[in-house]
Amino acid sequence: MTARLRILVVLLSATLAQATVCSEFRIGGVGVELMLLVTILAGVHGGPERGALVAFWAGLLYDSVTTAPLGLHALVFPSIAMAVSSLERRMLRNTRVTDALGVAAAVAAGSAAVAAVGEIFGQASFDPGMLGERILVSALFTTAVAAPVNRVVAWAAAAGLPMTIELRRHQS
Amino acid sequence: MAAPRPAERPRNTLLILLAAALTLLTLQFRGVEPLDAFQQGIRDILSPVRSVVDRVTDPVRTVWDGIFDYGDLRGENERLQTELARMRGESLTAEADDELLERLLGEVDIAYTDLETVVVRILGTPPGNFTTHIVEIDKGSDDGLAEGQPVVTGAGLVGRLEQVDRARSIVRLATHPDFRVGVRLVDSQDEGLARGTGDEDVLVLDAGIRSDASVSVGEVVTTSGGRSLFPADIPVGRVFDSDDSTEFRRAIVVELAASLENLSFLNVVIGAPGLREDR
């Protein structure tokens, strides 16, 4: 299966899951930000350019299943993917804990950016006092499901890319 | 021409993507039809799948809600007990009798029977974490619904239809900060424009109302009709704070007649005298 086809399959499956399961199961009204998670992981595994492209389409599909105007998430997600990719390459040492914290921070940053851009375009209807709490719950909840999603996104986003030689871990 | 350095290519890609997204947003806000149709098409394709998943996950979701929304359920239970105690303690005058009956009938029947309505079931919150004061319902354009139609319960106004797909729709609740409705104060016959504030169960009437209007606490507020999207005489609520001490910009707080918490069924007004068809 080519890289493009894999990415298409992952994006469509994620959209379906976002519109169904992720909307059904919420904590305090907040669900998993699956499309944002796919964006972040595409930045990690696919590099800045491929990550940004996957993120753009993820944003467009997300816009199509929410009440947001078309282009709102697509405006924010590519920058998130590129920033994550850039920061990930600068990390000297990765552990599971730093990876999880990184994903949580990226989800929080992405959610805050979406809320801010939504406010600029007159889309915000939430209580600003609750925004911090919503972002925190969203970041923790999304990070909790990151491990299985990571494998799937790695399978799709890293397809066809040259193999990286992992020099950072197990350094003596 | 020199080839771009490797670091420049992702930046150029990002700029192109941002420009594309901004173009889409601009076109969307200008009301370009194909974009709306694209979004609606995707939602219509997903709708049957969502219905199946709703049904399959319903038992698990009940357990999930019991675990993670236990605090909310307990709070709601306490609120209802307090409400019950208050209602028992009230001396039931003729007016209160009517009000009690109205509340009891609130969600099951509609009192103002002249309106042609469609009964809809609330499915929950639509996908996304950062839009509140909207709910998703189980009927759409196939059932005669159209954007802008008023949504009510027997107790009064609840909101209006914001987005209508073939089999599902989104209701913007009256408490949404972008919600506006023309209202009339029944005793004084003064009219103005009320808006949602994002707070639970209240609207603020702060436009079009005379600063010297005689408004009393408890006065009934209904829709005004006329140039408004809503037909006249739908109950909206009662005046909670008449703000009569202000000399400049008056902000009258109206407590909604219909409780917007824990709704299950709603009525969409599809036919009424004065209902505008343009939205």
Side-chain angles (χ1 to χ4, degrees), chain A residues 23-45:
Chain A
S23 303
E24 298 280 323
F25 297 96
R26 290 170 182 263
I27 298 174
V30 180
V32 169
E33 288 279 1
L34 188 60
M35 301 308 278
L36 180 54
L37 182 59
V38 169
T39 290
I40 291 163
L41 296 173
V44 171
H45 297 292

Side-chain angles (χ1 to χ4, degrees), chain A residues 15-16 18-21 23-33 48-49 52-53 56 60-72 74-75 78-79 82 111 115 121-127 131 134-135 138 141, chain B residues 9-11 13-14 17-22 24-26 28-29 35 38-40 42-43 46 49-50 53-54 57-58 60-61 64-65 68-69 72 123 125-134 162-163 170 176-178 198:
Chain A
T15 308
L16 196 61
Q18 180 74 66
T20 54
V21 182
S23 303
E24 298 280 323
F25 297 96
R26 290 170 182 263
I27 298 174
V30 180
V32 169
E33 288 279 1
E49 189 166 13
L53 283 165
F56 177 77
L60 273 190
L61 287 167
Y62 197 17
D63 288 329
S64 303
V65 297
T66 62
T67 53
L70 198 65
L72 184 68
L75 183 64
S79 308
M82 198 166 271
S111 299
F121 284 97
Q123 293 297 306
S125 64
F126 49 83
D127 176 6
L131 183 60
R134 280 184 165 256
I135 287 175
S138 158
F141 199 9
Chain B
R9 212 176 144 205
R11 245 177 260 159
T13 307
L14 181 64
L17 294 176
L18 294 182
L22 280 170
L24 284 172
L25 273 170
T26 308
Q28 177 98 33
F29 280 110
L35 295 181
F38 170 75
Q39 281 184 300
Q40 192 178 338
I42 289 192
R43 286 194 299 266
L46 287 177
V49 185
R50 292 183 65 195
V53 175
D54 278 356
T57 59
D58 193 47
V60 186
R61 200 171 35 144
W64 178 274
D65 289 345
F68 289 105
D69 288 337
D72 289 349
L123 297 171
T125 315
N129 284 337
F130 297 99
T131 44
T132 52
H133 307 287
I134 51 174
E162 182 183 0
Q163 191 178 80
I170 302 287
H176 192 290
D178 290 336

